[in-house]
Amino acid sequence: MSKNKSAIVTGSTSGIGLGMAEAFAKSGMNVMLNGFGSPDEIEAIRRRLADQYGVKIGYHGADMTKPEEIGALVKAAEEQFGAVDVAVSNAGIQFVAPVEEFPADKWDAIIAINLSSAFHLIRHALPGMKARGWGRIINLASAHGLVASPFKSAYVAAKHGMIGLTKSVALETAEHGITANAICPGYVLTPLVEKQIPDQAKARGISEEAVKRDVILGVQPTKQFVTTEQIGALAVFLCGDEAASITGAALPIDGGWTAQ
Ligand code: NAD
């Protein structure tokens, strides 16, 4: 049922966002990619998805710290595809440090990219969804939207905030054929996680190996990383009409982490 729909996925040049963009394209959706990276690599991704799945794939380089660029991203997708039916806020960054040493500029950047950008994407995409009487808003929160870990004050605050935003939007849109849900993954081996391993080792005074074994997979009862394909499949399901009654939910996909 997602065939012929059009989606924006922020932060889809890498990791989970790219996994969702590919799953959407495979299900027949047009996708507007977004995120940073080398222009050649991004163009190669855009072309591969378009050729492989026979859908329209665009790219817009909006910086998620800049509200006016987020507005331009929605406008570009509406012009290119005729509609934005699915708005996925996925772009995110991480920084790990004890709260009293946490740099204020890192706090501001994490709140802007991991939380406020979702507000801006939603407020620009919603009028079109309401006019058409159909829409899907998906916010990539995290297990850290449900539970905390030390040294991630900004990230945990942003992800908890994202779940609150999701619930409010779900209530406001419930009678418009629109759903809003948060996906809460456990650890996925993407550049965002790989980059924090040395910082975690430093903050905790342990080896990088111990970070992977005890800190990262230690919290996940399955002892397995979640995969981008698994998250992509959940996102596609949420876009179907079978998922019309799932709204305002924070859905863990975390190998049992938050069951503990
Ligand atoms: P990643 O580093 O692989 O990808 C992040 C994406 O966001 C990239 O495309 C990057 O270019 C983009 N991005 C970063 N800053 C941006 C900005 N200012 N404007 C536009 N795009 C920007 O990370 P990932 O692990 O795929 O994370 C994706 C989302 O999933 C994040 O919101 C993250 O918090 C969340 N998440 C990740 C994990 C995990 O274990 N990897 C777990 C739970 C939740």
Side-chain angles (χ1 to χ4, degrees):
M1 192 41 221
S2 34
K3 213 169 166 46
N4 301 323
K5 299 275 195 241
S6 299
I8 291 175
V9 184
T10 69
S12 47
T13 52
S14 166
I16 296 170
L18 179 54
M20 286 190 291
E22 175 138 17
F24 285 167
K26 199 173 177 180
S27 80
M29 274 193 242
N30 303 317
V31 183
M32 182 64 86
L33 302 170
N34 159 261
F36 298 150
S38 98
D40 287 351
E41 281 173 27
I42 293 170
E43 175 54 19
I45 292 170
R46 197 200 63 72
R47 190 177 294 262
R48 179 180 70 79
L49 296 182
D51 291 350
Q52 197 164 334
Y53 301 112
V55 291
K56 289 185 205 157
I57 306 287
Y59 168 75
H60 191 284
D63 179 340
M64 292 298 118
T65 63
K66 304 209 165 90
E68 63 287 358
E69 293 189 16
I70 300 171
L73 163 66
V74 173
K75 198 157 179 271
E78 285 176 339
E79 278 170 12
Q80 195 165 335
F81 305 142
V84 174
D85 305 295
V86 176
V88 183
S89 288
N90 164 83
I93 57 166
Q94 176 61 285
F95 191 82
V96 179
V99 66
E100 71 276 24
E101 292 167 22
F102 212 92
D105 63 330
K106 294 287 183 199
W107 171 277
D108 289 343
I110 288 180
I111 298 299
I113 298 168
N114 296 18
L115 176 58
S116 302
S117 71
F119 159 70
H120 294 295
L121 185 69
I122 291 166
R123 79 186 170 91
H124 286 293
L126 211 44
M129 290 181 184
K130 279 191 173 169
R132 288 183 297 276
W134 198 97
R136 292 290 185 265
I137 291 162
I138 299 177
N139 293 328
L140 252 288
S142 167
H144 282 120
L146 300 166
V147 295
S149 294
F151 313 122
K152 295 186 175 177
S153 51
Y155 189 85
V156 168
K159 296 301 188 181
H160 276 68
M162 207 173 201
I163 291 178
L165 170 67
T166 305
K167 289 179 182 176
S168 261
V169 172
L171 297 181
E172 289 181 32
T173 57
E175 294 182 64
H176 294 270
I178 297 166
T179 69
N181 291 291
I183 294 180
C184 302
Y187 281 107
V188 188
L189 198 54
T190 66
L192 180 140
V193 166
E194 280 164 4
K195 269 184 252 159
Q196 69 181 270
I197 292 173
D199 298 342
Q200 286 261 23
K202 198 168 147 232
R204 291 168 184 268
I206 58 178
S207 70
E208 293 191 18
E209 216 26 67
V211 170
K212 259 197 233 166
R213 187 189 58 235
D214 302 332
V215 179
I216 295 186
L217 292 179
V219 295
Q220 249 159 236
T222 53
K223 305 288 178 228
Q224 304 283 332
F225 283 103
V226 179
T227 69
T228 58
E229 290 78 10
Q230 291 163 351
I231 298 170
L234 176 57
V236 168
F237 178 73
L238 287 175
C239 293
D241 286 336
E242 302 83 352
S245 296
I246 303 176
T247 195
L251 300 162
I253 172 163
D254 65 2
W257 174 349
T258 55
Q260 300 171 97

